[in-house]
Amino acid sequence: MDFKKAAIRLNEKELKKAAIDCDLKTNAQIAEAIGVTSSQLWRCTLPADDPRYNSPGQAFIAGVLKAFGEPFERFFFLE
């Protein structure tokens, strides 16, 4: 059997919608609102097979949920 490790992925489309609703226009503004660097935000939006990709960590996830007050399932999914 071939078991793949489950990974939490960012739903970038929903994050961008929430950012627009909060009048956040740039990735720098979004990153500041969720308490991460612009680079961390960018790395979470890359395709998973890109060597520069990083899964969103606990601080990233908590920052998104705190900043936008939406349920986890809106912004993240298991892959």
Side-chain angles (χ1 to χ4, degrees), residues 9-71:
R9 300 272 299 161
L10 174 66
N11 184 336
E12 185 180 3
K13 185 184 228 180
E14 288 300 319
L15 181 67
K16 296 288 184 179
K17 285 181 190 177
I20 289 167
D21 291 344
C22 291
D23 202 32
L24 302 173
K25 295 177 174 66
T26 66
N27 279 348
Q29 290 174 329
I30 298 167
E32 184 178 344
I34 63 177
V36 299
T37 65
S38 296
S39 177
Q40 287 174 297
L41 176 60
W42 174 74
R43 287 177 176 270
C44 286
T45 63
L46 293 171
D49 61 351
D50 188 307
R52 301 166 297 175
Y53 169 76
N54 279 350
S55 292
Q58 289 179 342
F60 186 99
I61 293 167
V64 168
L65 299 179
K66 183 178 178 185
F68 301 114
E70 298 285 337

